[in-house]
Structures are given as structure tokens and as C-alpha cells.
Amino acid sequence: MTDLVLILGDQLSDSLSSLRRCDPSQTVVLMAEVMGEATYVRHHRKKIVLVLAAMRHFAARLRAAGWRVDYVALDDEGNTGTLGGELERAVRRHGASAVFLTEPGEWRLKLEADGWAAALGVPVTVIEDDRFIASHADFETWAEGRKALRMEFFYREMRRRTGLLMEGEAPAGGRWNFDAENRAPPAGGLFLPEPLRHDPDAGTQAVLEMVARRFPDGFGSLDDFRFAVTREQAQASLAHFLEVALPRFGDDQDGMLQASPYLHHAVLSPYLNIGLLEPLEVCKAVETAWRRGGVPLNAAEGFIRQVIGWREYVRGVYWREGPAYVFRNALEARRPLPDFYWTGQTDMACLKAAIGQTLDLAYAHHIQRLMVTGNFALLAGVDPHVLHEWYLGAYADAFEWVEAPNTIGMSQYADGGLLGSKPYAASGSYINRMSDYCAGCAYDVKARSGTGACPFNRLYWDFIDRHATRFASNPRMAQSVRTLERMGEDRRQELRADAAACLAELGL
């Protein structure tokens, strides 16, 4: 009797629940590179390389640990191009009597997996992914009966559960959250650190060449690939971050500089999200660095909150809300995604910088995503599902369980306030304060209207106007609505006309 374990591209962890369930002597591990997973959205080519190269290295790691691995490469003859097709072929090849897999990270694949048992004629067991701190049941228990779901309260539960940054029953430093200290404009400088670079070995180079061949006109650059593709490399990246960047991480985590795409960010999320690192491992290392005295509390707390707070929270929301969540559109935004999201060709310096960086690196940090590309789409009324698919493909760390709530909920407010308490809409003044983008922009960030004025300024009040009825009852938006109302109807008409002219000038 042979068991077959299917391991997906974001499940590259020694501790994977499906591996723990099976006996290596009676098990074949199937790993398959398929076009269906590479193309269901338009993925950045560096993201494709990261996942496939990490898969190949993980397969070698499993073989060294004594597992029998059946690995199907993208270019292998007979590759069906789908996970279901490769699973069917593997069941026949090995005479498998049962299939096991750890729960996929997307509703799309989970629903597909639900039909595999009937299609294959053998039992298929889907095991919950326990590489997270909160199980589905844990999150459901916490959420049940609450009028509103708010990350801050969930985060406190995760702190108590893990003991991270706790002094007995109290939070270290007497406060749960030091976010107010993490909003400084970037200081810049000539010697800002960068994440540890990992030059491609022969195996990764082979994947780079294959992706260049198979996706010659694909989205994003393949030049200067530097991601970690093994656990050892990912651990080295973590150690590098702790030493050179974490001490300043809190101070400038919201800042944006054209010449420094990373500032003091860790760029560990791709490795967490494909399984090369685990959340508690990373957070305990950060806490240890703080307790040793080399890292300020606001930096350690800000990082840990992103991992055990926000990351766990958005996962809970994603699975609780179901597969239709990605189609929510509370603000009824219908505009298509502007072409410059694919090219970076725009006179708006902030968008050009953030999208250009994305094209080059498959990376942009959370404020670039939320307050530049996301903010513009929100103000312009871009369809949130179309934007969601762009984010899902554009970034190396984007998998739907984490990306969709960040886009649909936090960035676009398309869930009507389920995830976050307000839409993250802002005029150009925010971007000017938190970046160096505006100084060289073709548009005037100080001008509020008219040709040549910053498009964020021209669109902001029209956005408030379009949704004034909804926002009037939102405590965090009501002041903006009252300010708009004091302008009078004639001025509101002018704002609407100017916003329409702005969108027309941008070709939207």
C-alpha cells in the first residue's frame, strides 16, 4: 500500500502536517510544476522563479531526509499543466491507495481538491495547515459574537498565547502597540542596508533560463534575482535582518525613498509565505534581539505585530468569509485597472517609483502598496477584484489568503469595513510627507485642482463626495464628510468636474 503526499509550492516546510501524517517508507511525495498555477493570474516572473527554484531545492532536501520524491518539472514531457492532472498521473504511476495534502492556501485550490477523491477513485485527506499560531477554530471562537472584527484585539490574544513581548500578564513597556512611534518620515542616508543577497546557484539558474524561455513577454524583470530559495538561505536572511536592519525598522517602516526600495524592511515575507521560515521562529528571534538590548521596543513590537497580529488576522478573515470574499465591492467601483500598473509609465512620480520597483524586484513594502498603488486605485474607483488579481501576481510574497484581505478589505474597503475601520484614502500631502517622490514629480503636490495639480489631490474630495452618505456614520471619516459639506454644493460640483477631467487626462 502506497500513500501519496502532494506538496504545493507554498508548503516548503519540514514541519508540514501532511508529512508528519505519513511514514516515509510507505509514501511517495509528489511535487509538480504546472502552467495552471503559473498563469491563473499574471504572475511576476521573479515570483515564478522563486517558487519553482525553492520547490526544486526542497525536493532535494526531502530526498536527503529519506523521502521518495516524484518531481514533475514544467518542461517534462507529458506534463498536463494542472495539479489535478499530475495527481491523477502519479496515482496511476505508483498505484497509490490514498492521497494526503496539507490544506491549500487559496479557496480556489481547496474547492478543486474537494473534487479529487471522486475524480481519482481513492480517498483524499486534506489536513489543516498548522504552521500558523491560530487554527481556523481558534479564529472562529475569537470572532464569534463580535459586532466588529478588529486586529488590535486579536493581536493581544496572540501575544498572550505566545508570551511574546510579555512581562507576566502585562505587555512589555506597558503598551500593546507602539505604532504611533513608527510613522516618522524616512531619514535617508548614504549607507542604508539591503536584505541579504543570494546569488543563483546552478539549479536556480536553470529555472531562470526556463522561465525566460517559457514567459518571454511575461510581467516583471528577471534581472538580478536575489531571493533565498533554501531554508538555510532564508535563515541567513533572518540573521542579517536582525543584525543590520531591525534596530531602525520601527522608525522608518512607513517611509518611501526612490533610491532605497528596502529602507530597513526585512523582506522575509516571501520566505514565511512559502514555508522556508516559520512565524514563531522569526518572532522569537526578534524578541531575543530586543531582550539583549540591541533593538528598541518599538521596532521589535512593530515587526512582531505584523507577523502574529496582522498576518494571522487576515488569514482568519480570509477563511471565515469564504470564496466570494474576493468579489466584494461595497463601494461599487467599476473602473478598469490603468495600463500603467503593468508598465510603470506614468508622470505621477510616486506611482512610477512604486510600480517600477515592483517590476524590477517583485517587491514593494506595505505603505507603497497601501498608500500609493492602493490609494490611487481607491480614489479612482478601480474595480477591487481586478486590483486584487494584480497584487496577487505582482509580488513574490502574495498568496491569496494573505493578499486578498489586504487588498479587498484594508486597501479598497470593498468589504464595507469588515476588516478595517476606515478606507485608507489620502491626498498627495501624505505621500509628500512620507517620501521623496513629490520633489521631482511632473505634478504639483501643493495644488489642489486643475491641470498640473497632483491627481491624488484632485481625486480625494470627489471620492469623499461619492461616498458621503456611507462615510457620514463612520467615526473615522465623519470629519472629512463635514468638511466637504461646509464647502457647499457649488464647490462640490467643481470638485466632481475636476476629478472627471483628471481621470480623462490620465486616459481613464
Side-chain angles (χ1 to χ4, degrees), residues 20 50 93 122 127 148 150 168 171 173 191 194 202 232 252 255 387 490:
R20 300 201 315 270
L50 168 65
R93 273 197 304 274
V122 298
I127 307 163
R150 293 292 174 257
F191 303 106
E194 288 197 354
E232 290 77 13
D252 66 8
L387 185 69
D490 288 347

Side-chain angles (χ1 to χ4, degrees), residues 117 126 130 169 171 181 223 239 248 310 340 355 388 390 401 437-438 445 476 503-504:
V126 178
D130 57 7
E169 296 297 314
E181 298 176 20
D223 296 339
R248 286 280 308 280
W310 191 253
F340 56 72
I355 295 169
H388 146 68
W390 183 80
W401 64 267
Y437 295 152
C438 299
V445 72
R476 299 185 67 188
L503 292 169

Side-chain angles (χ1 to χ4, degrees), residues 374-412:
N375 184 21
F376 180 84
L378 178 67
L379 298 180
V382 171
D383 185 324
H385 183 73
V386 174
L387 185 69
H388 146 68
E389 291 190 324
W390 183 80
Y391 279 117
L392 184 58
Y395 293 109
D397 61 358
F399 294 87
E400 196 173 84
W401 64 267
V402 64
E403 174 278 326
N406 274 291
T407 303
I408 300 297
M410 187 177 191
S411 173
Q412 300 303 291

Side-chain angles (χ1 to χ4, degrees), residues 216-292:
D217 301 315
F219 177 62
S221 170
L222 284 172
D223 296 339
D224 194 28
F225 184 87
R226 57 176 66 191
F227 287 115
V229 295
T230 69
R231 173 159 171 76
E232 290 77 13
Q233 289 177 339
Q235 288 174 312
S237 288
L238 170 60
H240 179 80
F241 168 66
L242 296 173
E243 179 181 354
V244 307
L246 178 60
R248 286 280 308 280
F249 167 78
D251 297 339
D252 66 8
Q253 66 172 287
D254 286 4
M256 298 171 281
L257 293 175
Q258 293 189 64
S260 181
Y262 301 109
L263 292 171
H264 291 85
H265 286 272
V267 197
L268 297 176
S269 54
Y271 314 141
L272 281 164
N273 293 351
I274 64 174
L276 299 180
L277 296 175
E278 300 206 7
L280 276 180
E281 166 191 22
V282 171
C283 290
K284 287 178 179 178
V286 168
E287 181 188 43
T288 297
W290 166 69
R291 291 194 183 278
R292 288 176 176 168

Side-chain angles (χ1 to χ4, degrees), residues 442-455:
Y443 295 97
D444 183 357
V445 72
K446 303 291 187 183
R448 296 186 178 185
S449 60
T451 300
C454 172

Side-chain angles (χ1 to χ4, degrees), residues 155-237:
Y155 166 56
R156 295 178 187 183
E157 289 299 315
M158 294 300 97
R159 288 272 295 276
R160 294 185 183 101
R161 173 179 296 195
T162 61
L164 289 164
L165 300 181
M166 297 295 291
E167 304 291 353
E169 296 297 314
R175 289 157 51 194
W176 293 103
N177 187 318
F178 288 81
D179 194 40
E181 298 176 20
N182 294 341
R183 297 171 182 166
L190 296 177
F191 303 106
L192 288 171
E194 288 197 354
L196 187 63
R197 177 196 180 96
H198 303 278
D199 292 327
D201 62 10
T204 300
Q205 188 60 45
V207 176
L208 279 161
E209 292 168 3
M210 179 188 69
V211 170
R213 186 171 63 250
R214 295 296 295 268
F215 303 92
D217 301 315
F219 177 62
S221 170
L222 284 172
D223 296 339
D224 194 28
F225 184 87
R226 57 176 66 191
F227 287 115
V229 295
T230 69
R231 173 159 171 76
E232 290 77 13
Q233 289 177 339
Q235 288 174 312
S237 288

Side-chain angles (χ1 to χ4, degrees), residues 30 44 52 61 69 82 127 133 154 231 243 260 266 275 343 361 378 413 418 460 471 475-476 480 488 495 500 507:
L30 173 66
H44 197 295
L52 299 190
R61 182 182 182 90
V69 180
T82 68
I127 307 163
I133 297 161
F154 174 78
R231 173 159 171 76
E243 179 181 354
S260 181
T343 67
L361 305 175
L378 178 67
Y413 202 70
L418 171 73
Y460 176 78
F471 294 160
R476 299 185 67 188
S480 293
L495 292 170

Side-chain angles (χ1 to χ4, degrees), residues 4 6 83-92 96-101 113 115-124:
L4 191 67
L6 174 65
L83 287 173
E86 289 314 298
L87 193 55
E88 182 179 3
R89 289 206 306 154
V91 167
R92 291 201 307 267
S97 57
V99 172
F100 297 89
L101 71 149
W116 283 344
L120 299 172
V122 298
V124 175

